[in-house]
Amino acid sequence: MSGKPQLKGRAARLARLFPAGAGQAARAPFVLLVVLLLGGGLIGLLVLNSALSEGSFKLDDLQKETKSLTDEEQALQRDVDSYSAPDALQRRARELGMVPGGDPAFLNPDGTVKGVPRAAGQSSFRTPAVRPPEVLSPYPAQSPRLGAPATTNQPALPSSTTGR
């Protein structure tokens, strides 16, 4: 007798519907499917790795370009700062023939004049460099009260000098 038991009745009829070598034939497509999945996965990893390295190279190039542009911006900012320094502006203005402005006079709302006007180049203020307000006064500046009247009471200019 063979190693397989003999089936009887309904089991024998069902066994005749399936071919005898069905177990061997089903393994080949499964093995082929597994090999294809593994191969596809490896190819996908290779493509992903290539894309990541390309992105890394682009990132490196962009970082170098950013550093170069930042250095250029800082050099240009140094140039602007050196040209806009008060002593450089004053020197350039004198080279162009400009003179310091005169002392201004201000009109108060009540019609009084504050200050004595002088023509350009005749200013009483002869400091060669521009100084910030903190340097001019040894005491901290005090803010005037709102609504307080003006403290200087100088007479108004005659109508002939105001252009009326």
Side-chain angles (χ1 to χ4, degrees):
M1 287 225 228
S2 70
K4 289 186 181 181
Q6 290 290 330
L7 298 174
K8 295 183 182 176
R10 185 173 177 185
R13 284 191 308 256
L14 287 175
R16 279 186 292 198
L17 294 176
F18 296 107
Q24 296 297 328
R27 286 187 185 165
F30 177 72
V31 170
L32 182 62
L33 177 69
V34 169
V35 168
L36 287 175
L37 286 175
L38 287 175
L42 287 175
I43 290 173
L45 284 175
L46 179 65
V47 168
L48 181 64
N49 191 17
S50 304
L52 288 176
S53 353
E54 182 181 350
S56 174
F57 285 126
K58 284 183 182 178
L59 178 64
D60 189 43
D61 291 341
L62 290 174
Q63 285 175 341
K64 286 179 185 175
E65 185 179 355
T66 301
K67 184 181 182 318
S68 168
L69 290 174
T70 302
D71 292 343
E72 183 180 351
E73 177 192 13
Q74 289 175 352
L76 291 172
Q77 187 62 45
R78 278 192 306 270
D79 290 345
V80 167
D81 291 343
S82 69
Y83 288 129
S84 64
D87 57 342
L89 289 174
Q90 183 181 23
R91 186 183 70 250
R92 183 74 177 129
R94 286 181 195 236
E95 289 172 3
L96 293 172
M98 299 175 90
V99 294
D103 292 336
F106 300 97
L107 290 177
N108 291 323
D110 61 354
T112 59
V113 177
K114 182 178 180 181
V116 178
R118 293 206 174 112
Q122 297 177 356
S123 175
S124 63
F125 187 66
R126 296 282 183 199
T127 306
V130 177
R131 294 184 182 171
E134 302 91 345
V135 176
L136 298 176
S137 174
Y139 303 104
Q142 297 177 357
S143 62
R145 292 187 325 217
L146 293 176
T151 57
T152 58
N153 290 326
Q154 296 182 357
L157 292 176
S159 61
S160 62
T161 61
T162 59
R164 292 183 193 174

